[in-house]
Amino acid sequence: MGGARRRARARTAFALKDSWPYAACLLLALGAAWLAASHLALRAAALLAVPCCLLGIWINLRVANAATRTGTLLAQARTALGAVHDSVIATDADAAVSYLNPAAERMLGQSADAAQGFPVEALTRFVEPESRRNLPHPVHVALGERRVAPLTAGAVLLGRDERELAVEASAVPLPPGEGSGAVLVLRDVGQEREAAQRLRYQQAHDDVTGLLNRLEFEQRVAQCLSGARQAEADSRDALLFVDLDQFRVVNQSCGHAAGDELLRQVAQVLEGVLRGGDSVARLGGDEFGVLLCGCGAADAMRLAELLRQAMCELRFDHGGRSFPVAASIGVVELDASWGQASSALSGAEAACGLAKEHGRNRVHVHRPGDAELAQREGMLHWVARIQDALDHDRLLLYAQPIAPAAPQAEAPRHMELLLRMLDADGRLVSPMAFLPAAERFSMSTAIDRWVVGSAFEQLAAAGAAGPALCAINLSAASLSDERFLQFVLDQCERRGVEPSRVCFEITETAVISQFQKALRFIERLRALGFCFALDDFGTGMSSFAYLKQLPVDFLKIDGSFVKDMLRDPIDRAMVEAINHVGHVMGIRTVAEFVEHDATRHCLHEIGVDFVQGYGIGKPVPF
């Protein structure tokens, strides 16, 4: 008995001695996987290390214990392989199955005994998920090339019932000799791949509409532009920029949840009209992008019109109310001249902006040499410069005196504040260079806030030494902004400025475009003691009709009538008529563009109250 135990221990020690390479492989693979587990080869090593080590020990123990089939270490190796969560399949040198661990039995739906002797490819068939094309089997590669053979990334295991299972797999050849063959280790990664697919989807799609997001869309546009640089001249794609008209009405009256539902319905309309190979994305807010593949300008225009008509047919119903839906669309043809995707998107957005400015609910095509677009893009450059000037306090106030028309008459100081801007190099910029852009791109109210705040601050600091009456120009946008009215009241209270020292100048055009709101604005501030002047009077078609309804204190006669009134009797007659009507209504008059003493004397003879212009005084820093 003692001799038998000694021989068994010797065989066990011999088996363990021959198994040291497996233990070394285990330590090396685990260490490498800890350093960089994302690398494919190291993932394969990490996948194979523990099962191969255990299986190698088990095989050697089987050989060592062939006589007795007993021994604690052999049982422990079997138990360890049974506890491994990965599926382990051992084959002989001919790739016939010799062993399945319990995890492999569960994965394959096959018992270890029934699988004995079957070709490994009969139980484990690996294919590409979409084409179902058979892939080289890792075991055959491992046996044929004597190396670790990982399965092609993204492959699936095709079961006997044709069910696909997402797996990672690697095969490793065992050392030549007794028990030689290969070990195939499989790991179920279905949940990991599903999670990765969900993450990729979320990274590329908008969470409200399910459409592509801006990042993914720009990448696709970039791919089209890259193809355009390499393709023939007649190979074209097109880009549409779609902006909903009056989306804010739904958001403000029904809430953001209703706005999101409208966006989803719009997304369905877009997808319903477009062709299968086209891409549609939500770019942000109520803006959408459409990429039309293999579509020239004419076809793109036709599809854009179909989209516009489909939008018009959509009615959004919420809370018993029905809202019409419309969209403005900009179209650009994608060719190599665009260079970058961001440039093409900017071009399409500019074209969409022109569609809105022309009346909304229409399509505008971006064409090379488009004068309107060039002008608009030039104004957009001013937008950035204006914002920079606001951010860095590079706006300036100048003051120009307003004097009595009678040359020797005495009157309290009266002046109009005029706006200037310093560019980044410190050069003075005329307001006519940047104010049109500010008005066009809704920056007027921000500028008006700066002007009012700065003027009130300086009036308060000057005290009694400052002007008795200071005229401040306001834009049409500010007249219709309730928040701006409150801002004026807050500034007045904060600075302690007497309202009677401030006269707000509003143009006839601004009043006509926002008449009711302008009227409320004027009445509210006049009740507190502020004065109002109607600027550039006489240039509109309905000047006298509106004047009857406006409670203003000053009427400023437009300079186009004043500057040539000494030579043009019609201009003089217009000045006389405006002055007479103003006085009949109890409104004081101011003539602009007075450049000569002779003009001043003539205005005094007519009976104009005040004059303003370079002949009276040039603008100086306030």
Side-chain angles (χ1 to χ4, degrees):
M1 182 68 69
R5 287 198 185 96
R6 284 194 298 274
R7 285 191 297 274
R9 283 197 296 270
R11 283 193 296 269
T12 300
F14 178 78
L16 289 172
K17 172 175 69 68
D18 280 358
S19 300
W20 71 266
Y22 301 101
C25 286
L26 171 62
L27 293 175
L28 288 173
L30 289 177
W34 179 76
L35 288 172
S38 62
H39 192 281
L40 181 60
L42 294 176
R43 284 177 66 88
L47 182 67
L48 288 166
V50 175
C52 287
C53 180
L54 294 172
L55 191 62
I57 294 173
W58 177 71
I59 290 173
N60 279 271
L61 285 170
R62 283 191 63 185
V63 174
N65 288 282
T68 62
R69 294 287 188 257
T70 61
T72 303
L73 287 177
L74 177 59
Q76 289 176 345
R78 286 179 178 273
T79 302
L81 280 171
V84 171
H85 292 295
D86 296 332
S87 298
V88 181
I89 302 173
T91 74
D92 59 19
D94 296 323
V97 174
S98 59
Y99 170 79
L100 302 181
N101 75 339
E105 290 179 319
R106 291 190 296 272
M107 176 181 284
L108 302 178
Q110 184 85 298
S111 69
D113 292 337
Q116 286 279 342
F118 272 89
V120 68
E121 63 271 19
L123 300 180
T124 55
R125 178 187 168 201
F126 300 109
V127 299
E128 288 182 344
E130 294 183 3
S131 67
R132 291 291 184 100
R133 183 177 64 87
N134 286 330
L135 296 171
H137 201 288
V139 168
H140 291 295
V141 176
L143 291 173
E145 301 180 14
R146 306 302 301 172
R147 64 173 178 84
V148 174
L151 180 64
T152 302
V156 295
L157 173 67
L158 204 58
R160 289 184 301 177
D161 57 356
E162 297 296 303
R163 180 175 58 90
E164 292 183 358
L165 182 64
V167 295
E168 285 182 351
S170 286
V172 60
L174 295 177
E178 268 191 295
S180 65
V183 176
L184 176 67
V185 182
L186 302 98
R187 177 174 297 163
D188 185 346
V189 294
Q191 291 184 346
E192 295 177 26
R193 286 190 189 172
E194 287 179 7
Q197 288 173 353
R198 284 195 300 272
L199 180 60
R200 285 194 297 269
Y201 182 88
Q202 291 168 358
Q203 289 174 338
H205 290 77
D206 172 57
D207 57 355
V208 174
T209 61
L211 300 176
L212 299 177
N213 59 23
R214 189 182 191 100
L215 179 61
E216 177 67 19
F217 187 73
E218 286 187 351
Q219 291 175 349
R220 295 194 181 190
V221 173
Q223 291 172 358
C224 285
L225 289 174
S226 177
R229 285 189 287 269
Q230 300 171 11
E232 297 296 328
D234 58 352
S235 177
R236 298 293 191 199
D237 300 317
L239 173 64
L240 309 184
F241 190 98
V242 182
D243 191 354
L244 299 185
D245 297 331
Q246 306 300 334
F247 172 74
R248 187 179 300 177
V249 173
V250 174
N251 248 359
Q252 291 179 345
S253 60
C254 302
H256 291 286
D260 288 347
E261 176 58 29
L262 172 57
L263 293 175
R264 284 188 282 269
Q265 292 186 20
V266 168
Q268 292 174 357
V269 170
L270 291 173
E271 290 182 312
V273 173
L274 297 176
R275 305 165 303 172
D278 299 329
S279 299
V280 57
R282 182 187 175 207
L283 303 178
D286 59 348
E287 299 170 343
F288 297 83
V290 178
L291 183 59
L292 303 173
C293 298
C295 188
D299 288 336
M301 186 69 179
R302 180 181 57 79
L303 283 170
E305 275 295 335
L306 287 176
L307 283 177
R308 188 193 63 78
Q309 293 170 13
M311 291 293 183
C312 290
E313 293 170 2
L314 176 63
R315 287 292 182 273
F316 180 68
D317 298 318
H318 182 82
R321 302 165 64 187
S322 182
F323 297 87
V325 180
S328 300
I329 304 176
V331 182
V332 300
E333 192 173 18
L334 294 179
D335 53 37
S337 66
W338 285 109
Q340 295 182 338
S342 58
S343 300
L345 273 171
S346 296
E349 184 176 6
C352 179
L354 275 181
K356 281 186 171 294
E357 291 176 12
H358 288 166
R360 302 178 183 272
N361 189 26
R362 62 192 62 214
V363 178
H364 188 92
V365 180
H366 185 294
R367 293 186 175 89
D370 190 322
E372 279 190 289
L373 279 174
Q375 182 186 28
R376 191 177 194 276
E377 289 168 3
M379 285 190 172
L380 282 171
H381 290 303
W382 275 113
V383 170
R385 295 175 67 179
I386 293 169
Q387 188 60 57
D388 188 61
L390 285 167
D391 293 341
H392 297 90
D393 200 26
R394 291 204 308 273
L395 295 179
L396 303 173
L397 287 179
Y398 275 57
Q400 185 175 36
I402 298 174
Q408 305 302 323
E410 294 291 334
R413 289 176 64 204
H414 182 185
M415 58 183 58
E416 178 183 357
L417 295 185
L418 304 171
L419 184 64
R420 302 289 186 267
M421 185 175 81
L422 289 175
D423 65 15
D425 298 325
R427 292 189 294 261
L428 205 61
V429 181
S430 165
M432 293 309 297
F434 63 88
L435 284 183
E439 292 174 0
R440 185 168 184 174
F441 294 103
S442 305
M443 300 189 73
S444 298
T445 300
I447 292 176
D448 288 349
R449 282 173 173 263
W450 183 92
V451 170
V452 169
S454 299
F456 280 30
E457 180 181 5
Q458 294 187 53
L459 284 173
L469 187 60
C470 188
I472 299 174
N473 290 278
L474 296 181
S475 66
S478 296
L479 296 179
S480 60
D481 189 340
E482 287 290 334
R483 294 170 298 179
F484 181 77
L485 174 60
Q486 188 59 49
F487 174 78
V488 172
L489 299 175
D490 292 344
Q491 287 293 310
C492 186
E493 182 179 356
R494 178 184 174 190
R495 303 296 183 185
V497 173
E498 281 294 327
S500 59
R501 296 179 63 190
V502 177
C503 178
F504 289 115
E505 291 195 6
I506 53 179
T507 66
E508 180 187 356
T509 305
V511 170
I512 292 173
S513 66
Q514 302 281 348
F515 186 75
Q516 292 299 326
K517 291 181 179 179
L519 186 59
R520 287 195 297 270
F521 186 93
I522 294 171
E523 290 175 340
R524 176 79 180 276
L525 291 181
R526 280 191 91 239
L528 298 175
F530 290 95
C531 296
F532 277 84
L534 189 58
D535 200 7
D536 300 336
F537 187 79
T539 57
M541 296 297 293
S542 305
S543 299
F544 293 103
Y546 281 102
L547 183 60
K548 291 172 59 177
Q549 305 176 55
L550 286 174
V552 296
D553 304 278
F554 294 92
L555 195 60
K556 300 193 76 171
I557 305 169
D558 189 71
S560 63
F561 303 123
V562 175
K563 64 181 180 180
D564 292 327
M565 62 179 291
L566 297 180
R567 297 187 299 272
D568 190 330
I570 295 178
D571 283 345
R572 175 171 177 142
M574 289 294 296
V575 172
E576 290 175 344
I578 294 171
N579 181 68
H580 178 69
V581 170
H583 284 173
V584 168
M585 297 180 66
I587 302 173
R588 289 167 287 181
T589 55
V590 182
E592 301 177 301
F593 279 49
V594 179
E595 299 179 351
H596 308 287
D597 288 340
T599 305
R600 183 176 185 174
H601 285 295
C602 182
L603 291 166
H604 175 52
E605 290 175 359
I606 291 172
V608 173
D609 299 299
F610 298 95
V611 289
Q612 177 184 2
Y614 274 33
I616 309 304
K618 294 182 179 181
V620 295
F622 182 48

